[in-house]
Amino acid sequence: MPRPQFIPTAEQRALVKSMAAMGIQQEDIALRVGVRSPKTLRKHFREELKLGAIEADYKVAATLFQMATSGEHPGATIFWAKTRNRFRENPPAATAPIPPPPFIVAREPEGGRS
C-alpha cells in the first residue's frame, strides 16, 4: 500500500517559515515537521523556506535602522555608518619610532669570575 500523500497544514507552514527565519537547518526542520528528508521539505515548503530568511533579515535591518536613526543607540548608528556608508575610523597619527636604549657592555673583572 503506498504511503499517503503529504499535505501541509497552515500551522506547519508557519512553523517552517519561523524555523527557517531563525536559521535552523533544513534537516532539523524536516524532523520537527515530520517529513522524511530535506528534499521532501523543499518540495512542500519552498516558499516558506525562502521567505522565512528574507523576512527575518528585513525585520533585523528595520530594527537596526530604527535604532540607528533614533539617536538613542550610538553603537547602532556607528555600526550602520561603518557597514552601509563605508565610514572608517582614522588611523592614529604616525609617531616617530622610539630609539632603543643605549647598549651597555659590562666587563668581567680580571682573573675570572668571583
Side-chain angles (χ1 to χ4, degrees), residues 1-13:
M1 175 178 256
R3 189 175 309 141
Q5 184 179 2
F6 179 76
I7 301 173
T9 65
E11 182 179 303
Q12 287 172 321
R13 289 191 183 284

Side-chain angles (χ1 to χ4, degrees), residues 14-98:
L15 178 63
V16 168
K17 191 174 184 180
S18 175
M19 292 177 81
M22 294 178 199
I24 297 173
Q25 293 182 358
Q26 290 183 5
E27 293 83 8
D28 296 333
I29 298 172
L31 183 64
R32 174 62 179 87
V33 174
V35 296
R36 293 179 74 100
S37 71
K39 183 177 176 182
T40 305
L41 182 76
R42 289 189 294 272
K43 176 181 175 183
H44 295 286
F45 297 97
R46 183 167 306 282
E47 287 298 308
E48 289 79 11
L49 292 169
K50 186 169 37 172
L51 293 177
I54 292 169
E55 289 178 15
D57 290 344
Y58 167 74
K59 286 179 79 171
V60 171
T63 301
L64 175 61
F65 180 77
Q66 190 279 324
M67 291 172 67
T69 58
S70 72
E72 297 176 16
H73 304 278
T77 305
I78 292 166
F79 177 80
W80 184 274
K82 285 182 176 183
T83 58
R84 300 283 299 190
N85 299 340
R86 297 184 182 107
F87 284 10
R88 299 287 178 255
E89 294 180 22
N90 293 330
T95 58
I98 300 172

